[in-house]
């Protein structure tokens, strides 16, 4: 059985606790990063043809200093031969930690104290975006009790998201916790949409049903446990209760709308939009989000099985049963025959035979199905779907002289997303590394001299882009380079000019 979804995920920029126009002295306050990042005159420039500026804040202005990240930059400096490639890596991989950790502190939650982190856009935090930004540092995650460690960053965000999800699991963006002292954000959509059940705007910033937001919480939890084998955060901070809340919400969302006698029986989220939305799904079941939720239900059930309580045992059974049912639903309804590519995954279906064939740059996507571990990279249906997504048969394949990559309905036609280029490179099975190298070169060519990765770029105009920098894509680019170091180290010795 599939989980019904109504709205596609919405990508939002992060890092709006911002810094500098010119580098401040030790005595000066840190300037805003949105102003600082506008300019291409920050020395020293890279010595390649792009002459990329140095875009990191000075040390005192970095929001979460990390020795692990600094050590990684130092190590890669001696491995990456191309000066422009190293500069882009140097600017982008630390970007979330440099600019977006707005608060760390101890949480107030029924007397429970746990270290938390927050990230900022209009003083609000999106579940999926914040999880993906922190997951960029997964290659550096190791057990540590230090409050300044990557492990502490994961623990804090898991704890804070757990708290938010219990407030309302149907919503995807939340206000800063009162103990942070950060002013609440204002969301005009609150007055334009009618949400039932209603939400408290002092706690919840925005409310749209995004199954992948809940999946991101499970993803972050499972990756932390797999890397550290530390069970304590999951027994200490009401994580078990949060998973139960998630399962109950998902069960409500996949309950049939009508009873056998025709009455409306749905206890799920309802939202009436008073403004046109860019990302309403065409059909009820978004396959990539269902893939992601099933995959990380399975992964997080391992944590649950390690918790020695009867409730945890019962939830483990529920998690695995639900994941199995969703997988069966995808197999039964989400695989369709394409006249050119054979069996592929549909992007959306309605369970009655209708399907929407496309892919989106946003994550999760069909292109990312192997990256998230839902299927093997060698799975026939996945490989067919990958070929489809990277072809003109996909209505959101945006191709041109500047950047050819998957786009999406969020920004519409002609906008290629570097994030999709990164996913393409990370899912490549080309042993020669040519596909990976081509994507890295394309990304290097699309920063418009800023040395940061944009949300999107017009396919044939490098100067027409959205968002000066996009922390999620910045972090994933760093992940890509670390993956290249591990799987195709010979590429780092090559020129990308």
């Amino acid at each position: 059985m599939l989980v019904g979804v109504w709205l596609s995920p919405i990508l939002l920029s992060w890092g709006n606790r911002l810094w500098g126009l010119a580098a401040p002295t030790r005595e000066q306050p840190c300037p805003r990063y949105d102003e600082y990042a506008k300019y291409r005159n920050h020395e020293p420039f890279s010595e390649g043809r792009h002459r990329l500026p140095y875009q990191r804040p000075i040390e005192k202005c970095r929001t979460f200093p990390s020795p692990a990240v600094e050590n990684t930059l130092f190590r890669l400096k001696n491995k990456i031969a191309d000066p422009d490639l190293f500069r882009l890596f140097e600017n982008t991989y630390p970007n979330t930690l440099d600019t977006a950790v707005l608060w760390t502190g101890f949480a107030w939650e029924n007397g429970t104290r746990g270290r938390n982190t927050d990230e900022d856009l209009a003083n609000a935090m999106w579940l999926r975006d914040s999880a993906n930004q922190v997951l960029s540092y997964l290659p550096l995650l190791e057990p540590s009790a230090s409050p300044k460690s990557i492990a502490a960053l994961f623990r804090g965000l898991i704890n804070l998201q757990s708290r938010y999800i219990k407030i309302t699991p149907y919503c995807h963006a939340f206000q800063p916790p009162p103990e942070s002292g950060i002013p609440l954000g204002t969301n005009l959509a609150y007055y334009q949409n009618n949400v039932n059940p209603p939400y408290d705007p002092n706690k919840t910033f925005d409310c749209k049903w995004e199954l992948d937001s809940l999946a991101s919480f499970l993803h972050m939890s499972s990756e932390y446990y797999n890397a550290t084998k530390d069970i304590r955060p999951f027994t200490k901070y009401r994580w078990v209760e949060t998973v139960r809340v998630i399962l109950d919400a998902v069960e409500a969302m996949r309950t049939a709308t009508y009873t056998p006698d025709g009455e409306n029986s749905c206890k799920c989220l309802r939202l009436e939009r008073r403004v046109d939305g860019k990302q309403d799904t065409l059909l009820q079941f978004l396959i990539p989000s269902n893939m992601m939720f099933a995959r990380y239900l399975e992964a997080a059930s391992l944590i649950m099985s390690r918790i020695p309580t009867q409730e945890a045992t019962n939830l483990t059974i529920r998690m695995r049963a639900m994941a199995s049912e969703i997988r069966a639903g995808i197999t039964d309804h989400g695989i369709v025959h394409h006249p050119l590519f054979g069996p592929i995954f549909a992007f959306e279906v309605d369970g009655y035979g209708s399907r929407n064939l496309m892919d989106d740059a946003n994550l999760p996507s069909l292109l990312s199905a192997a990256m998230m571990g839902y299927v093997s990279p060698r799975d026939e249906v996945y490989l067919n779907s990958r070929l489809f997504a990277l072809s003109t048969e996909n209505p959101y394949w945006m191709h041109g002289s500047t950047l050819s990559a998957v786009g999406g309905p969020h920004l519409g036609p002609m906008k290629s997303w570097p994030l999709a280029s990164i996913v393409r490179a990370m899912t490549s099975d080309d042993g020669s590394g040519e596909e990976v190298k081509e994507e890295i070169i394309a990304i290097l060519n699309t920063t418009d001299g800023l040395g940061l990765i944009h949300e999107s770029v017009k396919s044939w105009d490098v100067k027409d882009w959205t968002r000066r920098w996009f922390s999620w894509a910045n972090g994933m680019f760093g992940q890509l380079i670390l993956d290249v170091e591990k799987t195709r180290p010979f590429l780092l010795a090559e020129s990308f000019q």
Side-chain angles (χ1 to χ4, degrees), residues 259-271:
T259 63
D261 60 3
E263 292 187 13
N264 188 328
S265 64
C266 183
K267 306 298 182 184
C268 55
L269 176 75
R270 300 177 191 173
L271 189 153

Side-chain angles (χ1 to χ4, degrees), residues 146-450:
S146 168
K148 299 297 184 181
S149 65
I150 298 296
L153 194 69
F154 272 77
R155 286 193 298 271
L157 195 54
I158 290 168
N159 185 20
L160 189 58
Q161 288 201 2
S162 176
R163 169 180 173 181
Y164 284 156
I165 290 168
K166 286 192 287 286
I167 292 174
T168 169
Y170 297 111
C171 300
H172 70 304
F174 295 85
Q175 297 281 15
E179 61 269 32
S180 70
I182 301 169
L184 300 183
T186 300
N187 182 12
L188 296 179
Y190 175 74
Y191 304 99
Q192 298 167 332
N193 298 330
N194 180 23
V195 179
N196 185 37
Y199 63 91
D200 181 353
N202 292 316
K203 296 179 179 179
T204 302
F205 182 79
D206 196 17
C207 196
K208 298 180 182 71
W209 171 247
E210 292 184 356
L211 184 61
D212 44 85
S213 289
L214 302 179
S216 295
F217 170 75
L218 299 175
H219 182 191
M220 185 169 51
S221 298
S222 62
E223 296 291 9
Y224 175 83
Y225 179 74
N226 290 340
T228 66
K229 303 305 178 189
D230 179 12
I231 197 70
R232 291 171 299 175
F234 308 105
T235 59
K236 188 176 180 182
Y237 298 125
R238 297 173 62 193
W239 182 85
V240 171
E241 180 184 344
T242 302
V243 174
R244 177 179 54 75
V245 168
I246 289 172
L247 294 177
D248 289 347
V250 171
E251 202 61 66
M253 291 299 287
R254 66 179 190 165
T255 300
T257 303
Y258 299 103
T259 63
D261 60 3
E263 292 187 13
N264 188 328
S265 64
C266 183
K267 306 298 182 184
C268 55
L269 176 75
R270 300 177 191 173
L271 189 153
E272 297 174 8
R273 301 183 69 94
R274 297 198 183 103
V275 294
D276 291 335
K278 290 183 178 179
Q279 289 206 240
D280 292 357
T281 56
L282 296 180
L283 302 174
Q284 295 94 318
F285 301 110
L286 180 58
I287 297 299
S289 291
N290 276 269
M291 287 176 168
M292 184 180 182
F293 190 71
R295 164 71 178 94
Y296 292 113
L297 266 183
E298 295 164 342
S301 74
L302 178 63
I303 305 171
M304 193 68 76
S305 70
R306 299 289 191 268
I307 299 174
T309 66
Q310 187 58 52
E311 180 184 17
T313 299
N314 294 341
L315 287 172
T316 300
I317 295 170
R318 283 185 68 188
M319 293 166 80
R320 291 173 178 172
M322 184 178 287
S324 178
E325 291 168 1
I326 294 171
R327 280 187 176 272
I330 292 172
T331 300
D332 291 344
H333 299 282
I335 299 176
V336 302
H337 182 80
H338 190 279
L340 295 181
F341 299 103
I344 66 170
F345 290 112
F347 188 73
E348 297 167 352
V349 298
D350 66 357
Y352 294 98
S354 298
R355 67 270 185 97
N356 177 18
L357 302 186
M358 58 167 278
D359 200 17
D360 190 330
N362 215 334
L363 297 181
S365 62
L366 297 179
L367 191 61
S368 71
M371 189 174 77
M372 73 174 87
Y374 180 80
V375 292
S376 162
R378 294 287 184 177
D379 180 84
E380 177 191 4
V381 179
Y382 170 72
L383 290 174
N384 293 345
S385 302
R386 190 177 191 275
L387 290 172
F388 162 79
L390 302 176
S391 78
T392 54
E393 291 293 303
N394 174 11
Y396 289 102
W397 169 251
M398 307 303 172
H399 56 288
S401 57
T402 296
L403 179 64
S404 294
V406 180
H410 182 61
L411 295 173
M414 302 180 289
K415 296 291 187 179
S416 301
W417 287 51
L419 183 67
S421 289
I422 295 168
V423 174
R424 178 178 183 176
M426 293 182 74
T427 57
S428 174
D429 64 353
D430 177 9
S432 72
E434 284 304 309
E435 183 178 27
V436 175
K437 185 173 182 177
E438 287 175 6
E439 295 308 306
I440 292 175
I441 290 173
I443 293 166
L444 268 172
N445 289 339
T446 58
T447 76
D448 192 22
L450 288 168

